Amino acid sequence: MTPFHFEYLFRARDPDAVFDVYFDPEHQGEQDRRVEVARRETLEDVDEGDLRRRVARVYPRRQLPVVIRPLIKGDLSYDEAIVWHKRDHRIEFDIRPRLLDGKAQILATYRLVQRAPGEVLRTYDGQATVQLRLIGGRVEKAIIEDLERSLTVTAGCTQEYLDRRGLT
């Protein structure tokens, strides 16, 4: 298990403005294009007042490196289950790569906090766990490096979207 922590400061009116953008399908599509997601299939999306649960299967454009393909069957797709706790401005993530027969999991908490007028801090805390002898820790670190790159790209996309929508 390898923990991680990432932060990003948005220029935004309040946490609700960021969440409005987060769940906007047009914004999701733009983010997916920028982080090279080929397609996203929503398997479940239930909004029950203070909680919203969404489950999706995500298919990245990139594939496993050629040298690894004979050793590991499958692709880089993953199942992403999120639960948005609206009052707490928090989303719980459970991400499970479809390869490695359930031996990999990313658990994370995405939280938004009003830091100052016009400033919303996003924290993304969690852990990556890959249960593979000898190489599990290295795979966890690679997952976290990829996650950091993706979160940086998606945060920039979100900021542009907030700016265009006048939500700053």
Side-chain angles (χ1 to χ4, degrees), residues 5 13 20 25 31-32 44 49-50 55 63 72 74 77 91 124 127 145 149 159-161:
H5 172 84
R13 182 185 66 220
D20 286 346
Q31 279 191 334
D32 284 352
E44 175 184 339
D50 187 46
V55 178
Q63 296 299 316
I72 299 176
S77 64
I91 298 176
Y124 198 86
Q127 62 190 36
E145 288 170 4
R149 277 190 299 275
Q159 186 62 67
E160 290 173 20
Y161 212 80

Side-chain angles (χ1 to χ4, degrees), residues 1-2 100 103 130-142:
M1 185 268 300
T2 304
L100 301 177
K103 294 178 181 164
V130 177
Q131 298 171 5
L132 291 175
R133 291 183 49 185
L134 304 174
I135 63 166
R138 284 187 289 189
V139 176
E140 290 168 3
K141 287 180 179 141

Side-chain angles (χ1 to χ4, degrees), residues 21-40 42 54 61 153-154 157-158 161 164-165:
V21 168
Y22 184 93
F23 285 95
D24 181 301
E26 183 181 321
H27 173 256
Q28 181 71 68
E30 178 63 27
Q31 279 191 334
D32 284 352
R33 282 188 290 284
R34 291 188 188 192
V35 295
E36 298 185 23
V37 166
R39 76 181 192 277
R40 174 182 300 269
T42 300
R54 184 171 67 189
R61 286 196 195 293
V153 170
T154 58
C157 179
T158 298
Y161 212 80
R164 281 196 311 267
R165 297 278 191 259

Side-chain angles (χ1 to χ4, degrees), residues 7 14 17 32 55 59 63 66 72 78 106 109 122 154 158:
E7 293 184 359
D14 55 32
D32 284 352
V55 178
Y59 297 88
Q63 296 299 316
V66 175
I72 299 176
Y78 57 92
I106 300 102
T109 300
R122 178 195 73 187
T154 58
T158 298

Side-chain angles (χ1 to χ4, degrees), residues 11-13 17 118 159 162-168:
R11 291 181 316 278
R13 182 185 66 220
Q159 186 62 67
L162 287 163
D163 293 342
R164 281 196 311 267
R165 297 278 191 259
L167 299 171
T168 55

Side-chain angles (χ1 to χ4, degrees), residues 11-160:
R11 291 181 316 278
R13 182 185 66 220
D14 55 32
D16 291 332
V18 179
F19 279 125
D20 286 346
V21 168
Y22 184 93
F23 285 95
D24 181 301
E26 183 181 321
H27 173 256
Q28 181 71 68
E30 178 63 27
Q31 279 191 334
D32 284 352
R33 282 188 290 284
R34 291 188 188 192
V35 295
E36 298 185 23
V37 166
R39 76 181 192 277
R40 174 182 300 269
E41 297 173 0
T42 300
L43 306 174
E44 175 184 339
D45 193 353
V46 179
D47 195 337
E48 298 174 327
D50 187 46
L51 293 178
R52 181 172 180 180
R53 176 176 166 73
R54 184 171 67 189
V55 178
R57 183 157 293 152
V58 182
Y59 297 88
R61 286 196 195 293
R62 65 189 186 285
Q63 296 299 316
L64 287 168
V66 175
V67 293
I68 295 176
R69 287 181 199 165
L71 305 172
I72 299 176
K73 292 187 178 6
D75 59 23
L76 294 176
S77 64
Y78 57 92
D79 291 333
E80 175 186 81
I82 67 169
V83 178
W84 176 23
H85 301 265
K86 296 175 187 178
R87 269 190 301 241
D88 297 336
H89 303 294
R90 171 176 52 93
I91 298 176
E92 300 293 333
F93 282 81
D94 183 348
I95 301 167
R96 297 179 187 245
R98 296 190 66 220
L99 59 99
L100 301 177
D101 296 324
K103 294 178 181 164
Q105 180 180 31
I106 300 102
L107 295 173
T109 300
Y110 174 115
R111 188 179 317 266
L112 296 175
V113 176
Q114 186 84 44
R115 224 174 77 167
E119 290 185 355
V120 174
L121 178 66
R122 178 195 73 187
T123 57
Y124 198 86
D125 293 291
Q127 62 190 36
T129 304
V130 177
Q131 298 171 5
L132 291 175
R133 291 183 49 185
L134 304 174
I135 63 166
R138 284 187 289 189
V139 176
E140 290 168 3
K141 287 180 179 141
I143 287 170
I144 292 168
E145 288 170 4
D146 187 60
L147 183 59
E148 183 175 23
R149 277 190 299 275
S150 293
L151 287 172
T152 300
V153 170
T154 58
C157 179
T158 298
Q159 186 62 67
E160 290 173 20

